[in-house]
Amino acid sequence: MTLSPDILAVALKTATSYVVNAIEVLRFGGLQTDEEFSPFEIATRRPMFRLRRYYAPVAGVAEHGRVGGDAEERPRPPIVLVPPMMISADVWDVSPSTSAVAALHAAGMDPWVIDFGSPDLEDGGLERTLTDHVVAVSDAVDLVTAATGRSVHLAGYSQGGMFCYQAAAYRRSRDLESVVTFGAPVDVRGNAPLGVPEDLIVNVARFVADHVFSDRSLPGWMALAGFRLLDPIKTARAQVGFLRQLHDREALIGHERQRRFLGGEGFVAWSGPAIVDVLHQVIIQNRMMVGGFVVGDHVVSLADITCPVLAVLGEVDEIGVPAGVRKIAAVAPGADVFEFPVRAGHFGLVVGSTASSLTWPAVADWIDWREGTGDRPKGIVEVGPDSGGDPSPGTAVMLATEGATQIAGVGVGVVRGAGHLAVGTLRTTRALGYEALHAAPRLLRLGQIQTGTRISFAKIMAERARTQPDDACFLFSDRVHTYSAVDARITNVVRGMIEVGVRQGDHIGVLMETRPSALVAIAALSRLGAVAVLLPPSQDLAELLTLSSVSEVVVDPEHAARVTDAGARALVLGGGADRDLPGDLGAGLVDLERIDPDAVELPRWYVPDPGRAGDLAFVVFTRSTGAWQTKLVTNHRWALSAFGTASAARLTAASTVYCLSPLHHPSGLLTAVGGAVAAGSRIALSRGFDPATFDEEIRRYGVTAVSYTWAMMRELVRRPVHPGETLPAIPLFMGSGMPRGVWRRLLDRYPGTRVLEFYSGTEVDVVLANLSTTKQGARGRPLPGTAEVRLVEVDPDSGAIRTGPGGYAVPSGVGAPGVLLTRPRLRVDASVRRLRGVFRRGDTWVSTDDIFERDRDGDYWQLGQASTVVRTAHGPVFPIQVADALGDLPEVDLAVLYGVSAATGPVAVAAVSRWGCTAITAADVGGALASVPPTGRPDIVHVVDDIPVTNWYRPDATGFAARGLPKAGPRTWIRDPGTGGYVRLTKAVRDGLVTSDQL
């Protein structure tokens, strides 16, 4: 082929242009353009950020927006734009043709941009935390509000959108007209980029947070490399395309600023502490979904967002996956949430032709609509709480088409398919091995405990302060108290106690509401080696002090007067800003807060955390048949419940336990608080159980487990669910004594939740846990590491243990009632009555005095305390068995059983209260009690208006028993011995049962 001069000239010109342009790229990093950035001024400089105001108005000249329909100009609504951490603030003004600030200003807005700068070039920039960024966004909103005199619209891209959500929650939507986000996922774990399995991303995040970025930051070039690796084929194709067109300057110049931005100029360093915060809170703990997000010393939830939200999402976005973006509707039920889908990838949402033609006009129309100056924009769709699931068929087709047009898409599809297969495998493996994996270290530690082993509540707290000092320990009144801060507070309180004369081994009362200072007081006594006597807020305080031989009580200000009136010295602790104490304290009142801990000289006898497993740690009170009794809890007994609860409930450092159980009740300190401390979990405390604020606090604190006692949750399930109300997802309720009817209603109210019912004897080394999801009311099986248990038969009349050949106890068969015995692993306290020679010569057992039966699967069902069993002529009647059977009726709220003396002997009477307005009939009662053996059914059943509960929510039949036989009437039935059914109790029949002293 002969080359003509024209062809040679074109080739030479092309080669020359290629070389000239290549030299320019090598010299300047890219082609030089005549494009200029949009004008702005720095309105405010702060160490954390600079606040840019674009197109700032000239002094003395009013700034107005577009012309409205009535031909009158209006002020420009301010919009604050937030970039991600690893991308420069210039992402909002990459080039004139794709500039967000230029487009918004032309549309009549007042754009402001937060510029975090480059952390590696800022003073202290590489030490920035996630909290610093969120607070900076909040501060910027305040600055813009003050400058413009009105509320603002807050918008953010990618992680900047997450900052917007977090800042809006932190501010409770104050001064915010709306929040707009672009490709900002809320659920990163469940909707990870490229379909990465959730378990894998969590494990990788934990490794990276603990071992990679714990002491180093991410440089800008590495951030760029990570961005390119998300789609390496597309990155390579872009580079090849640029090189192929390098000779054609006019073809490249329009996209040059954008290419240079993505080529490295737009990426900045990322501080290590901020990375660790993001990995822990956003991915590992999933706080944007479950709540409990920590910002400084505050705890927030996205449920605190109440302003309108617009989520702009890319239908083919593999980073901000649409399903994860839509989850904002599920976690912010108080906000009106809308979405605007755009057929674009992650970067194309805010930069490029798609952003110019679709994104920014839609955002401008959205602001006009929210300002009341425009109609609802087309294409903006309201999102419901359940709209975050699988993508629509149209979106799926778009994703498939996008993938089919490039090799990268095929690769992504293969990875995603393999990922889904891996998800199934990992879930199966986790279901089989999770409990063993996480419980093994705790159970191993339990098995190694001997009588002389040093272990106590305070010692475990000290371990947590050493291994996870900056993790949240207490969440209270929307504030966060870290383990290190709590440990320091405990040490200071110890010094104060030593100053007022408290010594190791002293028995000191604790009478406080459930608050951080109460737990600090208990831990301080444990660290000192004293015994905490946990006093209930009873009218019998003087009796309790005498019973426990206590002369000094740690109290909050609210209970100080009661303690001094009862004759004890009050050691006042806590109370915060609400404390009200006289300036001149009397001899019976000591304010521990006025003692300077640094001025206290520690005595030589003081050794922190001296408690050993066999030492007495706590004294608790129980009430049986009207009389108060003390129960002794050793450090080993506390550790048994604590580590057993942590294992059975699968608690981890990412868990948050909502402690509603009163601290003076054994389940509060042993189960709820103990399990949380043993697992290193967060402990959320409330000023009192209030069903009206329960769901709100669950969301705010990110609660994963709720503790309860007895019928506490009855108050919650009574509260109606209003139309349109979205209830939070609660993985677990844990406690002891929940009536079966309340259990059923709780599962109905919170679908998907699980109830973990415990039984733990206060003075014996046994913990039963119901790990089943189908056996409502069962107490479950013994946890590994706890004492061996056996059921033995008892005499139906006297309640004494039955003996067989050789004088040994007779074991109970399957389904037969018996008293629960435990075989202690360690030395038993001398005050606990021991049984010897029970099954063989020389063995030692301890009776729990609780009656159980065991089913064929090995699960134990509690029938009642031995002292509350009603022993009638037809056999023993067990209170819990009868109450659960009657509680299975949908019409029954609560049920209790009690004994009454009658002319024919003891009579078992059951009282039931109604649930709703449906009447209870004799047929209902007979049908419900059909599950109870005939000899164990109550003689009389009657309907009452309400059943009172004790201060720890146990149904209380004391008042009914004191009134004797119930009155005859249409709501009282007696069991017919002939048919076994229940008939109306008439006055004549009742008169025949009344004894002479009841007339």
Side-chain angles (χ1 to χ4, degrees):
M1 177 180 178
T2 303
L3 297 177
S4 66
D6 292 340
I7 293 176
L8 288 174
V10 170
L12 181 60
K13 181 180 179 181
T14 299
T16 302
S17 298
Y18 194 98
V19 171
V20 171
N21 291 339
I23 292 174
E24 185 177 345
V25 170
L26 292 174
R27 183 179 178 185
F28 300 107
L31 302 177
Q32 298 299 296
T33 69
D34 296 329
E35 296 175 338
E36 295 183 356
F37 289 101
S38 301
F40 67 87
E41 67 177 24
I42 303 298
T44 302
R45 293 180 184 271
R46 294 280 178 87
M48 183 63 201
F49 66 95
R50 288 174 289 276
L51 183 61
R52 302 178 183 178
R53 186 175 192 180
Y54 282 81
Y55 303 99
V58 180
V61 179
E63 178 77 343
H64 297 282
R66 351 184 232 203
V67 177
D70 56 358
E72 293 183 1
E73 292 185 336
R74 61 177 175 82
R76 292 178 177 271
I79 178 170
V80 179
L81 301 171
V82 185
M85 273 196 287
M86 69 168 67
I87 294 181
S88 163
D90 292 335
V91 69
W92 302 113
D93 190 33
V94 173
S95 65
S97 61
T98 61
S99 172
V101 292
L104 292 172
H105 180 266
M109 310 303 151
D110 180 14
W112 301 65
V113 171
I114 298 176
D115 179 11
F116 295 118
S118 183
D120 53 345
L121 302 179
E122 304 286 342
D123 186 22
L126 296 180
E127 301 301 322
R128 292 174 177 175
T129 65
L130 180 58
T131 289
D132 293 332
H133 289 82
V134 176
V135 173
V137 173
S138 180
D139 290 345
V141 171
D142 288 332
L143 291 169
V144 176
T145 300
T148 60
R150 54 152 296 165
S151 54
V152 306
H153 298 269
L154 184 61
Y157 166 55
S158 192
Q159 193 179 44
M162 297 183 188
F163 292 158
C164 293
Y165 287 141
Q166 294 151 10
Y170 179 67
R171 300 174 60 83
R172 305 285 179 92
S173 299
R174 177 173 50 85
D175 295 329
L176 293 179
E177 286 290 335
S178 73
V179 172
V180 183
T181 63
F182 309 93
V186 171
D187 184 9
V188 179
R189 264 177 51 166
N191 299 274
L194 305 178
V196 178
E198 181 177 346
D199 287 350
L200 178 60
I201 194 173
V202 170
N203 290 332
V204 170
R206 182 177 288 110
F207 176 83
V208 171
D210 294 342
H211 303 289
V212 178
F213 294 112
S214 58
D215 57 354
R216 59 177 63 91
S217 299
L218 182 74
W221 66 267
M222 190 175 290
L224 171 63
F227 183 81
R228 287 176 170 175
L229 285 174
L230 289 173
D231 199 342
I233 303 298
K234 187 174 182 179
T235 299
R237 291 176 69 245
Q239 294 291 346
V240 171
F242 174 76
L243 293 174
R244 291 179 62 183
Q245 292 186 312
L246 190 55
H247 65 282
D248 189 353
R249 186 182 186 89
E250 295 302 320
L252 296 176
I253 204 71
H255 302 284
E256 180 61 8
R257 285 260 298 271
Q258 180 176 332
R259 186 196 68 81
R260 292 180 66 171
F261 188 90
L262 288 176
E265 293 181 0
F267 290 84
V268 297
W270 198 353
S271 67
I275 297 176
V276 172
D277 276 354
V278 169
L279 293 174
H280 274 293
Q281 295 211 67
V282 176
I283 297 179
I284 299 172
Q285 299 177 6
N286 208 17
R287 290 294 167 197
M288 292 189 70
M289 280 298 295
V290 303
F293 201 97
V294 176
V295 180
D297 61 351
H298 288 75
V299 59
V300 301
S301 163
L302 298 195
D304 296 326
I305 300 175
T306 55
C307 64
V309 174
L310 174 63
V312 181
L313 56 90
E315 293 177 322
V316 290
D317 189 347
E318 290 287 356
I319 298 175
V321 180
V325 174
R326 291 189 181 101
K327 283 297 179 75
I328 182 61
V331 298
D336 295 327
V337 180
F338 299 83
E339 72 170 55
F340 181 66
V342 178
R343 192 178 187 277
H346 194 64
F347 197 71
L349 285 173
V350 294
V351 176
S353 58
T354 301
S356 299
S357 61
L358 295 176
T359 303
W360 305 126
V363 172
D365 291 342
W366 161 268
I367 294 177
D368 283 342
W369 181 41
R370 303 318 308 182
E371 293 286 326
T373 58
D375 298 328
R376 175 170 171 169
K378 295 181 180 179
I380 290 180
V381 182
E382 189 167 5
V383 185
D386 301 324
S387 301
D390 296 332
S392 65
T395 302
V397 170
M398 290 181 186
L399 284 168
T401 304
E402 185 78 8
T405 58
Q406 43 186 295
I407 298 174
V410 177
V412 167
V414 173
V415 170
R416 182 182 289 111
H420 289 325
L421 178 61
V423 168
T425 304
L426 286 172
R427 283 177 178 168
T428 303
T429 303
R430 180 177 59 183
L432 293 174
Y434 185 99
E435 184 177 349
L437 176 65
H438 290 266
R442 299 165 186 161
L443 299 179
L444 179 63
R445 184 171 184 178
L446 273 181
Q448 294 174 338
I449 295 177
Q450 300 299 321
T451 303
T453 304
R454 286 183 61 178
I455 190 167
S456 64
F457 176 40
K459 190 175 189 299
I460 301 300
M461 290 286 288
E463 291 178 6
R464 295 287 163 254
R466 185 173 61 256
T467 58
Q468 49 191 99
D470 298 326
D471 287 1
C473 176
F474 298 140
L475 308 178
F476 182 69
S477 293
D478 299 340
R479 305 302 288 268
V480 178
H481 306 264
T482 64
Y483 272 103
S484 60
V486 170
D487 190 68
R489 169 72 167 160
I490 292 170
T491 299
N492 289 339
V493 173
V494 167
R495 289 175 172 268
M497 290 181 174
I498 290 176
E499 180 68 11
V500 299
V502 179
R503 295 181 61 90
Q504 181 177 342
D506 287 350
H507 286 222
I508 306 297
V510 178
L511 178 57
M512 307 178 77
E513 298 294 336
T514 303
R515 60 201 330 169
S517 56
L519 288 171
V520 166
I522 295 171
L525 291 171
S526 176
R527 176 155 299 173
L528 189 58
V531 178
V533 181
L534 306 180
L535 298 163
S538 169
Q539 299 296 325
D540 306 324
L541 180 58
E543 177 186 347
L544 296 177
L545 293 174
T546 302
L547 182 63
S548 57
S549 302
V550 166
S551 59
E552 295 177 308
V553 181
V554 181
V555 295
D556 44 26
E558 297 89 336
H559 293 95
R562 291 187 57 192
V563 169
T564 55
D565 291 344
R569 185 168 71 145
L571 309 178
V572 185
L573 183 69
D578 300 330
R579 64 195 339 260
D580 183 18
L581 293 175
D584 184 18
L585 304 178
L589 198 64
V590 177
D591 189 357
L592 294 178
E593 301 290 357
R594 298 184 186 180
I595 299 174
D596 180 7
D598 295 331
V600 177
E601 181 179 354
L602 294 177
R604 295 181 63 181
W605 56 259
Y606 172 66
V607 176
D609 307 323
R612 301 186 181 274
D615 292 344
L616 180 61
F618 311 109
V619 177
V620 297
F621 294 87
T622 61
R623 194 164 193 169
S624 179
T625 63
W628 287 103
Q629 298 176 343
T630 59
K631 298 292 184 179
L632 310 180
V633 180
T634 63
N635 283 315
H636 176 253
R637 180 65 192 82
W638 175 85
L640 188 71
S641 281
F643 287 99
T645 299
S647 300
R650 301 179 181 180
L651 300 179
T652 67
S655 304
T656 301
V657 179
Y658 193 25
C659 183
L660 293 176
S661 308
L663 293 181
H664 56 80
H665 188 274
S667 67
L669 192 61
L670 274 67
T671 302
V673 174
V677 171
S681 306
R682 311 195 306 180
I683 305 170
L685 300 172
S686 176
R687 292 187 179 275
F689 176 47
D690 184 358
T693 61
F694 177 85
D695 293 328
E696 177 187 348
E697 292 190 333
I698 291 294
R699 289 191 177 98
R700 179 169 304 125
Y701 293 141
V703 172
T704 58
V706 178
S707 72
Y708 66 83
T709 56
W710 292 96
M712 175 186 286
M713 294 299 108
R714 167 207 191 197
E715 305 299 322
L716 180 62
V717 297
R718 274 180 165 182
R719 183 175 177 269
V721 179
H722 302 292
E725 181 180 2
T726 303
L727 298 180
I730 305 175
L732 181 70
F733 288 83
M734 62 181 191
S736 60
M738 182 181 291
R740 204 154 65 196
V742 177
W743 191 324
R744 183 185 67 252
R745 294 185 180 102
L746 192 65
L747 297 181
D748 291 341
R749 183 181 180 91
Y750 298 100
T753 193
R754 185 168 65 98
V755 176
L756 179 60
E757 178 76 11
F758 285 99
Y759 168 84
S760 55
T762 307
E763 296 180 314
V764 292
D765 297 341
V766 60
V767 177
L768 306 179
N770 182 359
L771 302 179
S772 167
T773 58
T774 58
K775 295 185 177 182
Q776 298 174 13
R779 299 301 187 259
R781 306 175 190 179
L783 290 178
T786 63
E788 179 187 353
V789 298
R790 298 282 294 273
L791 286 182
V792 296
E793 293 184 3
V794 293
D795 185 90
D797 297 323
S798 65
I801 296 176
R802 277 182 170 173
T803 56
Y808 295 129
V810 178
S812 298
V814 173
V819 65
L820 185 71
L821 304 184
T822 69
R823 188 175 187 178
R825 289 182 56 248
L826 303 183
R827 174 177 55 85
V828 181
D829 188 88
S831 63
V832 178
R833 188 170 69 91
R834 288 165 288 185
L835 306 176
R836 296 192 181 276
V838 179
F839 299 106
R840 58 184 177 82
R841 185 180 300 173
D843 63 358
T844 301
W845 295 79
V846 175
S847 173
T848 63
D849 292 327
D850 287 318
I851 308 297
F852 283 79
E853 65 180 13
R854 182 170 54 88
D855 63 21
R856 295 185 181 277
D857 298 327
D859 290 296
Y860 288 81
W861 298 74
Q862 189 174 8
L863 305 181
Q865 288 182 317
S867 60
T868 60
V869 175
V870 182
R871 305 191 183 280
T872 67
H874 52 79
V877 182
F878 303 107
I880 294 179
Q881 184 181 51
V882 169
D884 279 347
L886 291 171
D888 285 338
L889 284 174
E891 300 84 4
V892 169
D893 179 14
L894 285 182
V896 291
L897 181 84
Y898 56 96
V900 174
S901 298
T904 57
V907 172
V909 181
V912 297
S913 57
R914 285 195 307 170
W915 178 270
C917 301
T918 306
I920 301 173
T921 66
D924 294 333
V925 171
L929 292 172
S931 61
V932 179
T935 58
R937 298 172 189 172
D939 300 290
I940 297 174
V941 179
H942 66 118
V943 179
V944 297
D945 294 333
D946 188 41
I947 293 177
V949 295
T950 65
N951 54 13
W952 49 69
Y953 297 94
R954 182 171 188 169
D956 188 5
T958 306
F960 299 125
R963 290 195 287 269
L965 287 171
K967 294 181 180 179
R971 301 198 305 172
T972 305
W973 305 278
I974 188 169
R975 185 166 179 262
D976 185 345
T979 64
Y982 286 84
V983 297
R984 178 175 175 175
L985 177 64
T986 63
K987 185 176 184 302
V989 173
R990 182 186 185 278
D991 289 343
L993 294 174
V994 175
T995 60
S996 58
D997 59 340
Q998 294 176 342
L999 295 175

